[in-house]
Amino acid sequence: LSEKNEPEWLSEEVKTGTTILAIEFDGGVVLGSDSRVSAGASVVNRVMNKLSQLHDKIYCALSGSAADAQTIAEVVNYQLDVHSMEIGEDPQVRSAATLVRNISYKYKEELSAHLIVAGWDRRKGGQVYATLNGLLTRQPFAVGGSGSSYVYGFVDAEYRKGMSKEECQKFVVSTLSLAMNRDGSSGGVAYLVTIDEHCTEEKVILGNDLPTFYDQ
Amino acid sequence: MAATASMMQSFGPNLSAQNDLVPDWTRTEVSTGTTIMAVEYDGGVVIGADSRTTTGAYIANRVTDKLTPIHDRIFCCRSGSAADTQAIADVVAYQLGFHSIELDEPPLVETAAHLFKASCYRYREELTAGILVAGWDRRRGGQVYCVPIGGMLVRQPVSVGGSGSTYIYGFMDSNYKPSMSKEQCLELTATALTLAMERDGSSGGVVRLASISEDGVERRVILGNQLPKISTH
């Protein structure tokens, strides 16, 4: 009996194929992600929430290797808790992003995960930081994951400065839907997190409620 | 620059890929990196392409014409290896011309597409060619056929191809609607190509457009500074 008879998902690494994005508006941020986790061609989790909380008003979006991304998020969550107790107030979004960047950069050869950090703090309001490969840069919006390639054109064309919270949410949902339609490693439901001064709202949009396009 | 042991190798066929003494464009195959697009409308088709041909990191031709006529009302958009696609297009143009003379009427777009498919599929192991066949004929009006790498054939109302196409799938899905007019198709194609050229290093230069209908072929060029402006940070 050859070894080849075992199902491939036992030997394939588990990846969050993924589409993730975060966008800032005046007064907060919106984060979005799909929910598919794949091991080779198998979908091992079709409802995974890839928006992970780092602090009350700071979230991060996970992509790449599921294990690496989750571990980075957990470690930074711990480090942020300690840090916020030390300074006696809520941490800045840039601090969280810096902690993520420090791990991504130091272990860049061993890890293969990209986290987008976004949140709200009192000093600078809504902020989105990209930490790909160990860099740190603040952007009005950031996309990531395998599905992001297919929607670069869409986000470049549709993004406008000064969008409202509702427009940002619609933008995120449309972008996720388009990416999930084209990327085999993205799919399932869409998770949305909206963070502003007053509240942090988590929302799920089921598959059949996502926007549809001309060929569906 | 420190001379390390690895740089003491002899020149000739043993040159490693990392050696800076010989530029990589002398060794890399010429490829049309590319973004190409074709859209059907009621009465014809609109096709478009960027104009960059690369050998590695060097741009061998920055004003390439990737919209190649196969017959009076049938064009093809070429992506992949420049040599392969030029050779296939020449072969198909010859075969189609001959067939049209035998038939004594203009050939069908579907026929041209099948000729492309026949060559691309038979020699699929040797070729790297992604082709969009588009045109107008009296039987079915405007048609777009997609013959990607591997040699499949499928008709689609709108299709994109080339390395830059991945970036505009989302834009195309959200902005294309069935029954658009010719002007809307031209605008959609120009904007989509511009977006792809912004993001894809292998696509760039000018945007070449053509619209094909019963009345003939209208070609235009949009230069770099005339491209639609995209609001990005």
Side-chain angles (χ1 to χ4, degrees):
Chain A
L1 261 171
S2 92
E3 297 283 23
K4 302 243 172 17
N5 287 339
E6 70 168 20
E8 66 166 29
W9 51 260
L10 281 178
S11 45
E12 288 279 351
E13 191 195 350
V14 175
K15 289 183 135 327
T16 49
T18 300
T19 311
I20 50 173
L21 74 151
I23 177 170
E24 80 180 51
F25 60 90
D26 184 21
V29 293
V30 180
L31 292 99
S33 84
D34 73 306
S35 67
R36 179 171 292 183
V37 181
S38 48
S42 299
V43 176
V44 295
N45 187 346
R46 60 187 168 119
V47 285
M48 164 149 181
N49 191 341
K50 301 174 190 179
L51 303 176
S52 187
Q53 191 176 29
L54 297 178
H55 204 78
D56 295 343
K57 292 210 181 296
I58 308 176
Y59 272 66
C60 70
L62 315 174
S63 75
S65 152
D68 289 349
Q70 279 186 343
T71 306
I72 297 174
E74 278 173 22
V75 167
V76 171
N77 183 358
Y78 164 78
Q79 291 174 337
L80 260 188
D81 278 348
V82 171
H83 172 70
S84 83
M85 277 189 262
E86 284 175 342
I87 61 176
E89 60 180 27
D90 283 340
Q92 293 183 56
V93 185
R94 196 182 174 88
S95 312
T98 304
L99 290 169
V100 171
R101 185 276 310 270
N102 289 346
I103 301 177
S104 303
Y105 182 69
K106 185 165 182 194
Y107 300 104
K108 71 189 303 210
E109 305 304 327
E110 293 99 319
L111 296 173
S112 85
H114 171 213
L115 274 66
I116 298 177
V117 180
W120 181 93
D121 64 41
R122 253 210 333 234
R123 251 184 246 201
K124 296 202 187 118
Q127 300 146 72
V128 171
Y129 291 89
T131 66
L132 183 63
N133 282 338
L135 62 66
L136 176 64
T137 172
R138 181 177 174 190
Q139 295 175 191
F141 70 91
V143 295
S146 57
S148 68
S149 314
Y150 302 104
V151 290
Y152 271 112
F154 177 78
V155 299
D156 282 345
E158 294 297 310
Y159 173 75
R160 309 248 174 281
K161 270 209 320 223
M163 292 202 281
S164 72
K165 177 165 89 167
E166 287 69 28
E167 284 173 321
C168 284
Q169 287 172 328
K170 213 161 141 266
F171 176 83
V172 168
V173 170
S174 298
T175 309
L176 286 172
S177 182
L178 287 164
M180 282 154 64
N181 281 338
R182 286 289 180 179
D183 180 27
S185 314
S186 300
V189 305
Y191 286 101
L192 232 67
V193 166
T194 312
I195 309 171
D196 64 19
E197 180 176 2
H198 307 292
C199 73
T200 304
E201 186 200 339
E202 292 194 11
K203 211 155 74 131
V204 184
I205 303 178
L206 300 184
N208 57 338
D209 293 330
L210 287 168
T212 55
F213 302 95
Y214 77 94
D215 52 355
Q216 291 165 284
Chain B
M1 217 160 60
T4 64
S6 64
M7 290 176 85
M8 297 303 199
Q9 279 172 353
S10 60
F11 294 2
N14 295 330
L15 235 34
S16 79
Q18 303 296 65
N19 195 319
D20 286 335
L21 297 176
V22 178
D24 83 325
W25 54 258
T26 58
R27 281 173 271 123
T28 327
E29 194 194 343
V30 175
S31 112
T32 48
T34 303
T35 314
I36 49 177
M37 180 163 170
V39 192
E40 282 176 18
Y41 66 91
D42 185 24
V45 294
V46 164
I47 57 176
D50 74 304
S51 70
R52 182 173 290 186
T53 306
T54 51
T55 35
Y58 175 66
I59 299 174
N61 186 350
R62 61 187 172 123
V63 285
T64 321
D65 186 6
K66 304 180 189 176
L67 307 176
T68 307
I70 303 296
H71 207 265
D72 294 343
R73 301 269 188 289
I74 306 177
F75 268 63
C76 76
C77 311
R78 301 180 291 112
S79 75
S81 153
D84 288 350
T85 54
Q86 283 179 358
I88 299 171
D90 286 347
V91 162
V92 171
Y94 166 78
Q95 293 171 332
L96 200 65
F98 197 89
H99 169 72
S100 164
I101 290 173
E102 288 181 316
L103 232 56
D104 198 24
E105 64 181 43
L108 299 177
V109 187
E110 192 179 352
T111 310
H114 275 85
L115 287 171
F116 270 106
K117 189 272 289 278
S119 295
C120 292
Y121 181 69
R122 171 170 290 210
Y123 299 106
R124 56 184 298 172
E125 303 302 325
E126 289 96 328
L127 295 172
T128 311
I131 295 176
L132 297 178
V133 186
W136 180 92
D137 62 45
R138 243 176 39 152
R139 194 182 294 187
R140 294 209 186 99
Q143 302 145 70
V144 170
Y145 293 87
C146 181
V147 183
I149 293 178
M152 146 182 110
L153 171 65
V154 70
R155 180 181 173 186
Q156 291 179 308
V158 56
S159 193
V160 293
S163 58
S165 68
T166 45
Y167 304 107
I168 50 175
Y169 275 110
F171 176 79
M172 184 186 85
D173 285 343
S174 62
N175 285 66
Y176 171 76
K177 312 271 179 289
S179 329
M180 298 201 318
S181 74
K182 178 171 94 161
E183 303 314 325
Q184 290 172 318
C185 288
L186 285 163
E187 212 188 296
L188 176 74
T189 308
T191 311
L193 289 171
T194 306
L195 289 164
M197 282 155 60
E198 294 270 300
R199 288 288 181 181
D200 180 29
S202 312
S203 300
V206 304
V207 168
R208 293 198 190 275
L209 293 171
S211 71
I212 310 169
S213 66
E214 179 171 12
D215 304 323
V217 176
E218 250 179 72
R219 300 203 59 159
R220 61 194 85 172
V221 182
I222 306 182
L223 301 180
N225 58 341
Q226 298 160 347
L227 292 169
K229 298 275 179 285
I230 314 294
S231 109
T232 42
H233 46 291

